[in-house]
Amino acid sequence: MKTLTVALPGREYDILIQRGLLSQAGEYIRAAVPRAVKLAVVTDSNVGPLYSGTVLDSLRSAGFETALFTVPAGEKSKNPSQLAQLWEGFMEFGLTRTDGVVALGGGVVGDLTGFAAATILRGVALVQIPTTLLAQVDSSVGGKVAVDLKAGKNLAGAFYQPRLVLMDPDVLNTLDLPQFIDGMAEVIKYGCIWDAEFFDFLAARPSKPELMADIGHILYTCCDIKRQVVMKDELDTGLRMVLNFGHTLGHAYELAGRYVEWSHGEAVAAGMCAAAKLGVALSVTPPEVPQKIEAALGSLGQVTWISCSMEEYAAAIGLDKKGAGADITLILLDKIGHAVPCKMPRVRLLEQLEALPDR
């Protein structure tokens, strides 16, 4: 068992990482939410058939009354209508303020369920059980929960910390290769922004079997980095912004693909490559860095460039949550392993993007 503690005063919680942990979920959740009688478990149509039975059996063995809520798999479920359906379902189940909600799935399920838990009855206990690499290393830790609006992704949300995060690396064995590679974009991001040695470790393992052989170390390292950042800046007003390396431009690529052509991981991967080139153009990033990032991502078969119009860049940058008035804070690298926030007028960022080569 690998354990990390997110030590936020009054909101402390553990991240537990261990193979086979799903079958022991009940005992650990019982310890985390001892007063709960009922647990609403939310999953999706892909994950539910694989893992909900194991989790529900474990919860019932620990004395919980359970109800399973299954949403359609995919980003389209992360919307206000689906959120309202969960609220109504929780109330029909008889959930009270001392009960809890369990998110069993990837980032969509975690974000949607987390926002539902944060808002139903003004907040009930939340447990995250992430089942994708992307969710395990990123979205399940740190308390960002949200749904999408017509205007863009994650625009209605909250900061709401879970009571517990349970990670079972064995669930990644059923993750198809594209989804695994999708999550590796966020994994490589941690090396880019925080730990050059970890970046080199990942770059030397350009295949899923090689990475899975060290998956416990990879999950622990990513979660430890995010834990350190979140403890210093829970509400994303300073240091936590570095976690968004590649995301400002990545959101433009997601918009360009109407949120269906490009996955989040593909968009972030291309966004990191473009941000590295921007950093060189702005004399912040050393000239060899873009090639290193492209090589690490490309060796896994990840996307390193996505076409995007200036109109789509402008629309995404206008919605970016790191913006303030006419300015925006773009996260750049001054070396592999260290990120720096660079505040600039949005107009200047668009000018720099227009000057970038097509590839």
Side-chain angles (χ1 to χ4, degrees):
M1 174 80 75
K2 293 178 181 288
T3 303
L4 288 161
T5 300
V6 182
L8 294 167
R11 298 177 307 288
E12 297 90 350
Y13 61 94
D14 287 336
I15 305 165
L16 307 182
I17 306 169
Q18 180 176 286
R19 293 185 182 275
L21 195 55
L22 252 60
S23 62
Q24 305 170 59
E27 62 180 280
Y28 291 108
I29 295 174
R30 172 55 71 194
V33 285
R35 296 173 61 199
V37 174
K38 296 185 177 185
L39 291 179
V41 179
V42 183
T43 190
D44 70 27
S45 53
N46 287 340
V47 175
L50 294 172
Y51 300 118
S52 64
T54 299
V55 172
L56 290 172
D57 286 347
S58 181
L59 295 177
R60 289 164 184 159
S61 295
F64 292 109
E65 182 182 342
T66 64
L68 182 67
F69 299 84
T70 304
V71 303
E75 186 73 28
K76 289 184 178 180
S77 284
K78 212 170 85 174
N79 64 71
S81 175
Q82 189 67 68
L83 175 66
Q85 289 182 47
L86 288 181
W87 286 334
E88 297 296 347
F90 294 167
M91 290 297 89
E92 289 177 12
F93 176 45
L95 211 67
T96 71
R97 294 192 71 183
T98 57
D99 293 323
V101 176
V102 177
L104 174 65
V108 169
V109 167
D111 281 0
L112 171 67
T113 306
F115 195 29
T119 47
I120 194 71
L121 299 172
R122 296 188 175 90
V124 299
L126 169 67
V127 175
Q128 293 274 10
I129 307 181
T131 60
T132 64
L133 180 59
L134 184 61
Q136 288 182 342
V137 301
D138 187 55
S139 59
S140 67
V141 177
K144 280 188 176 181
V145 295
V147 296
D148 303 336
L149 302 180
K150 290 180 181 179
K153 286 188 64 176
N154 298 326
L155 293 180
F159 289 94
Y160 193 71
Q161 302 296 338
R163 298 286 184 87
L164 180 67
V165 181
L166 299 178
M167 293 187 191
D168 186 342
D170 283 345
V171 301
L172 302 180
N173 291 324
T174 56
L175 201 64
D176 64 31
L177 185 59
Q179 282 189 296
F180 184 84
I181 300 305
D182 204 49
M184 280 304 301
E186 293 283 0
V187 172
I188 289 171
K189 177 197 75 178
Y190 285 108
C192 288
I193 66 170
W194 200 266
D195 188 335
E197 185 177 337
F198 185 53
F199 179 89
D200 292 338
F201 172 88
L202 298 168
R205 290 160 175 78
S207 71
K208 183 178 179 181
E210 290 172 292
L211 292 162
M212 283 298 294
D214 290 294
I215 195 64
H217 170 66
I218 291 170
L219 296 179
Y220 183 92
T221 302
C222 292
C223 290
D224 188 29
I225 292 170
K226 187 161 189 181
R227 175 187 73 98
Q228 293 178 58
V229 172
V230 169
M231 287 191 301
K232 292 177 181 177
D233 179 22
E234 181 183 4
L235 301 182
D236 203 8
T237 58
L239 176 64
R240 187 166 177 168
M241 288 185 181
V242 302
L243 296 173
N244 289 308
F245 175 58
H247 285 62
T248 295
L249 305 183
H251 291 158
Y253 304 142
E254 289 181 285
L255 177 65
R258 303 297 179 263
Y259 301 103
V260 293
E261 184 175 356
W262 305 108
S263 69
H264 180 70
E266 289 170 329
V268 168
M272 290 192 292
C273 293
K277 293 175 183 175
L278 273 175
V280 173
L282 293 166
S283 300
V284 174
T285 303
E288 70 275 9
V289 167
Q291 189 276 330
K292 286 185 176 181
I293 296 174
E294 288 188 7
L297 292 164
S299 67
L300 290 168
Q302 183 56 279
V303 169
T304 58
W305 177 84
I306 292 174
S307 178
C308 187
S309 70
M310 292 309 301
E311 291 77 15
E312 288 158 339
Y313 274 131
I317 289 167
L319 292 170
D320 194 280
K321 293 178 285 297
K322 295 179 293 302
D327 295 331
I328 190 165
T329 300
L330 185 68
I331 305 304
L332 301 175
L333 304 180
D334 59 6
K335 61 181 178 180
I336 293 287
H338 191 257
V340 291
C342 294
K343 187 176 180 180
M344 67 183 73
R346 296 175 199 259
V347 172
R348 185 184 180 207
L349 175 55
L350 290 171
E351 289 172 349
Q352 292 292 330
L353 286 168
E354 194 164 23
L356 281 182
D358 288 342
R359 292 193 66 87

Short mmCIF file of all heavy atoms in Angstrom, two decimals, residues 285-317:
data_model
loop_
_atom_site.label_atom_id
_atom_site.label_comp_id
_atom_site.label_asym_id
_atom_site.label_seq_id
_atom_site.Cartn_x
_atom_site.Cartn_y
_atom_site.Cartn_z
N THR A 285 11.74 29.79 -22.77
CA THR A 285 12.03 28.36 -22.83
C THR A 285 13.29 28.10 -23.66
O THR A 285 13.42 28.65 -24.77
CB THR A 285 10.84 27.62 -23.47
OG1 THR A 285 9.66 27.90 -22.71
CG2 THR A 285 11.07 26.12 -23.49
N PRO A 286 14.21 27.25 -23.18
CA PRO A 286 15.39 26.90 -23.97
C PRO A 286 14.99 26.23 -25.29
O PRO A 286 14.00 25.49 -25.34
CB PRO A 286 16.15 25.92 -23.06
CG PRO A 286 15.69 26.26 -21.68
CD PRO A 286 14.26 26.68 -21.82
N PRO A 287 15.72 26.48 -26.37
CA PRO A 287 15.30 26.02 -27.70
C PRO A 287 15.22 24.51 -27.85
O PRO A 287 14.52 24.02 -28.74
CB PRO A 287 16.35 26.62 -28.64
CG PRO A 287 17.50 27.00 -27.77
CD PRO A 287 16.93 27.32 -26.43
N GLU A 288 15.92 23.74 -27.00
CA GLU A 288 15.88 22.27 -27.14
C GLU A 288 14.65 21.64 -26.49
O GLU A 288 14.34 20.46 -26.72
CB GLU A 288 17.14 21.65 -26.54
CG GLU A 288 17.25 21.72 -25.02
CD GLU A 288 17.85 23.02 -24.50
OE1 GLU A 288 18.02 23.96 -25.32
OE2 GLU A 288 18.15 23.09 -23.29
N VAL A 289 13.91 22.40 -25.68
CA VAL A 289 12.79 21.83 -24.92
C VAL A 289 11.65 21.34 -25.81
O VAL A 289 11.12 20.24 -25.59
CB VAL A 289 12.30 22.84 -23.87
CG1 VAL A 289 10.94 22.43 -23.28
CG2 VAL A 289 13.33 22.95 -22.75
N PRO A 290 11.19 22.10 -26.82
CA PRO A 290 10.07 21.60 -27.64
C PRO A 290 10.35 20.23 -28.25
O PRO A 290 9.47 19.36 -28.25
CB PRO A 290 9.92 22.67 -28.71
CG PRO A 290 10.43 23.92 -28.07
CD PRO A 290 11.57 23.48 -27.21
N GLN A 291 11.57 20.02 -28.74
CA GLN A 291 11.88 18.74 -29.36
C GLN A 291 11.85 17.61 -28.35
O GLN A 291 11.38 16.51 -28.64
CB GLN A 291 13.27 18.82 -30.03
CG GLN A 291 13.61 17.60 -30.89
CD GLN A 291 14.18 16.44 -30.10
OE1 GLN A 291 14.83 16.65 -29.06
NE2 GLN A 291 13.94 15.21 -30.56
N LYS A 292 12.30 17.87 -27.12
CA LYS A 292 12.29 16.83 -26.08
C LYS A 292 10.85 16.43 -25.73
O LYS A 292 10.55 15.25 -25.56
CB LYS A 292 13.01 17.33 -24.82
CG LYS A 292 14.52 17.39 -24.96
CD LYS A 292 15.15 17.78 -23.62
CE LYS A 292 16.66 17.75 -23.71
NZ LYS A 292 17.30 18.11 -22.41
N ILE A 293 9.98 17.42 -25.62
CA ILE A 293 8.58 17.12 -25.29
C ILE A 293 7.91 16.38 -26.43
O ILE A 293 7.20 15.38 -26.22
CB ILE A 293 7.82 18.42 -24.94
CG1 ILE A 293 8.41 19.05 -23.68
CG2 ILE A 293 6.34 18.13 -24.75
CD1 ILE A 293 7.82 20.40 -23.34
N GLU A 294 8.14 16.83 -27.65
CA GLU A 294 7.55 16.15 -28.81
C GLU A 294 8.05 14.71 -28.92
O GLU A 294 7.28 13.81 -29.25
CB GLU A 294 7.87 16.92 -30.09
CG GLU A 294 7.11 18.23 -30.22
CD GLU A 294 7.29 18.87 -31.57
OE1 GLU A 294 7.91 18.25 -32.46
OE2 GLU A 294 6.82 20.01 -31.76
N ALA A 295 9.32 14.49 -28.64
CA ALA A 295 9.88 13.13 -28.71
C ALA A 295 9.25 12.22 -27.67
O ALA A 295 8.89 11.07 -27.96
CB ALA A 295 11.39 13.17 -28.54
N ALA A 296 9.09 12.72 -26.44
CA ALA A 296 8.51 11.90 -25.37
C ALA A 296 7.07 11.54 -25.68
O ALA A 296 6.63 10.40 -25.47
CB ALA A 296 8.60 12.65 -24.04
N LEU A 297 6.30 12.50 -26.19
CA LEU A 297 4.90 12.25 -26.53
C LEU A 297 4.79 11.41 -27.81
O LEU A 297 4.00 10.47 -27.89
CB LEU A 297 4.16 13.58 -26.71
CG LEU A 297 3.96 14.41 -25.44
CD1 LEU A 297 3.58 15.84 -25.79
CD2 LEU A 297 2.90 13.79 -24.54
N GLY A 298 5.58 11.77 -28.81
CA GLY A 298 5.51 11.08 -30.09
C GLY A 298 5.91 9.62 -30.02
O GLY A 298 5.37 8.78 -30.74
N SER A 299 6.84 9.28 -29.12
CA SER A 299 7.26 7.88 -29.00
C SER A 299 6.14 6.99 -28.50
O SER A 299 6.14 5.78 -28.73
CB SER A 299 8.46 7.79 -28.05
OG SER A 299 8.09 8.12 -26.73
N LEU A 300 5.15 7.59 -27.84
CA LEU A 300 3.98 6.85 -27.37
C LEU A 300 2.85 6.85 -28.39
O LEU A 300 1.80 6.25 -28.17
CB LEU A 300 3.46 7.47 -26.06
CG LEU A 300 4.34 7.27 -24.83
CD1 LEU A 300 3.88 8.18 -23.70
CD2 LEU A 300 4.33 5.82 -24.38
N GLY A 301 3.05 7.56 -29.50
CA GLY A 301 2.00 7.67 -30.50
C GLY A 301 1.02 8.79 -30.19
O GLY A 301 -0.08 8.83 -30.76
N GLN A 302 1.41 9.71 -29.31
CA GLN A 302 0.52 10.80 -28.93
C GLN A 302 0.58 11.93 -29.96
O GLN A 302 1.57 12.13 -30.64
CB GLN A 302 0.90 11.32 -27.54
CG GLN A 302 0.03 12.42 -26.97
CD GLN A 302 -1.44 12.07 -26.88
OE1 GLN A 302 -2.14 12.17 -27.89
NE2 GLN A 302 -1.90 11.66 -25.71
N VAL A 303 -0.52 12.65 -30.05
CA VAL A 303 -0.62 13.81 -30.93
C VAL A 303 0.33 14.91 -30.44
O VAL A 303 0.44 15.16 -29.24
CB VAL A 303 -2.07 14.34 -30.94
CG1 VAL A 303 -2.18 15.69 -31.63
CG2 VAL A 303 -2.99 13.33 -31.62
N THR A 304 1.03 15.56 -31.38
CA THR A 304 1.92 16.66 -30.99
C THR A 304 1.57 17.97 -31.70
O THR A 304 2.20 18.99 -31.44
CB THR A 304 3.39 16.31 -31.29
OG1 THR A 304 3.54 16.01 -32.69
CG2 THR A 304 3.84 15.11 -30.47
N TRP A 305 0.59 17.95 -32.57
CA TRP A 305 0.18 19.18 -33.28
C TRP A 305 -1.27 19.04 -33.71
O TRP A 305 -1.70 17.98 -34.20
CB TRP A 305 1.05 19.41 -34.50
CG TRP A 305 0.65 20.62 -35.32
CD1 TRP A 305 1.01 21.90 -35.10
CD2 TRP A 305 -0.19 20.62 -36.49
NE1 TRP A 305 0.45 22.73 -36.05
CE2 TRP A 305 -0.30 21.97 -36.91
CE3 TRP A 305 -0.86 19.64 -37.20
CZ2 TRP A 305 -1.05 22.35 -38.02
CZ3 TRP A 305 -1.62 20.02 -38.30
CH2 TRP A 305 -1.70 21.35 -38.71
N ILE A 306 -2.05 20.09 -33.51
CA ILE A 306 -3.45 20.13 -33.94
C ILE A 306 -3.70 21.47 -34.61
O ILE A 306 -3.32 22.52 -34.09
CB ILE A 306 -4.42 19.95 -32.74
CG1 ILE A 306 -4.31 18.52 -32.17
CG2 ILE A 306 -5.87 20.23 -33.15
CD1 ILE A 306 -5.12 18.30 -30.90
N SER A 307 -4.33 21.43 -35.76
CA SER A 307 -4.65 22.66 -36.47
C SER A 307 -5.75 23.43 -35.75
O SER A 307 -6.71 22.83 -35.25
CB SER A 307 -5.11 22.32 -37.90
OG SER A 307 -5.46 23.50 -38.59
N CYS A 308 -5.59 24.74 -35.69
CA CYS A 308 -6.56 25.57 -34.98
C CYS A 308 -6.58 26.96 -35.61
O CYS A 308 -5.52 27.55 -35.86
CB CYS A 308 -6.16 25.66 -33.51
SG CYS A 308 -7.36 26.49 -32.44
N SER A 309 -7.76 27.47 -35.86
CA SER A 309 -7.87 28.80 -36.45
C SER A 309 -7.67 29.87 -35.38
O SER A 309 -7.83 29.62 -34.18
CB SER A 309 -9.25 28.99 -37.10
OG SER A 309 -10.26 29.07 -36.11
N MET A 310 -7.36 31.08 -35.81
CA MET A 310 -7.20 32.18 -34.85
C MET A 310 -8.51 32.50 -34.15
O MET A 310 -8.53 32.90 -32.99
CB MET A 310 -6.65 33.42 -35.57
CG MET A 310 -5.22 33.26 -36.06
SD MET A 310 -4.07 32.66 -34.78
CE MET A 310 -4.23 33.94 -33.54
N GLU A 311 -9.62 32.28 -34.85
CA GLU A 311 -10.93 32.51 -34.24
C GLU A 311 -11.16 31.54 -33.08
O GLU A 311 -11.70 31.92 -32.03
CB GLU A 311 -12.04 32.37 -35.27
CG GLU A 311 -12.08 33.47 -36.32
CD GLU A 311 -11.01 33.32 -37.39
OE1 GLU A 311 -10.41 32.23 -37.51
OE2 GLU A 311 -10.77 34.32 -38.11
N GLU A 312 -10.74 30.28 -33.27
CA GLU A 312 -10.91 29.28 -32.21
C GLU A 312 -9.96 29.55 -31.05
O GLU A 312 -10.33 29.40 -29.88
CB GLU A 312 -10.70 27.89 -32.79
CG GLU A 312 -11.85 27.46 -33.68
CD GLU A 312 -11.49 26.36 -34.67
OE1 GLU A 312 -10.28 26.18 -34.97
OE2 GLU A 312 -12.41 25.70 -35.17
N TYR A 313 -8.74 29.98 -31.36
CA TYR A 313 -7.83 30.39 -30.29
C TYR A 313 -8.44 31.52 -29.48
O TYR A 313 -8.43 31.51 -28.25
CB TYR A 313 -6.50 30.85 -30.88
CG TYR A 313 -5.47 29.77 -31.13
CD1 TYR A 313 -4.81 29.68 -32.36
CD2 TYR A 313 -5.13 28.85 -30.14
CE1 TYR A 313 -3.84 28.71 -32.60
CE2 TYR A 313 -4.18 27.86 -30.37
CZ TYR A 313 -3.54 27.80 -31.60
OH TYR A 313 -2.59 26.83 -31.82
N ALA A 314 -8.95 32.52 -30.18
CA ALA A 314 -9.51 33.70 -29.50
C ALA A 314 -10.69 33.32 -28.62
O ALA A 314 -10.82 33.82 -27.49
CB ALA A 314 -9.92 34.74 -30.53
N ALA A 315 -11.55 32.43 -29.13
CA ALA A 315 -12.73 32.03 -28.35
C ALA A 315 -12.31 31.29 -27.08
O ALA A 315 -12.83 31.56 -25.99
CB ALA A 315 -13.64 31.15 -29.20
N ALA A 316 -11.36 30.35 -27.19
CA ALA A 316 -10.93 29.57 -26.03
C ALA A 316 -10.19 30.45 -25.02
O ALA A 316 -10.39 30.33 -23.81
CB ALA A 316 -10.05 28.41 -26.47
N ILE A 317 -9.34 31.33 -25.51
CA ILE A 317 -8.57 32.20 -24.61
C ILE A 317 -9.51 33.17 -23.89
O ILE A 317 -9.29 33.52 -22.73
CB ILE A 317 -7.47 32.93 -25.41
CG1 ILE A 317 -6.39 31.92 -25.81
CG2 ILE A 317 -6.87 34.08 -24.60
CD1 ILE A 317 -5.42 32.44 -26.85
#
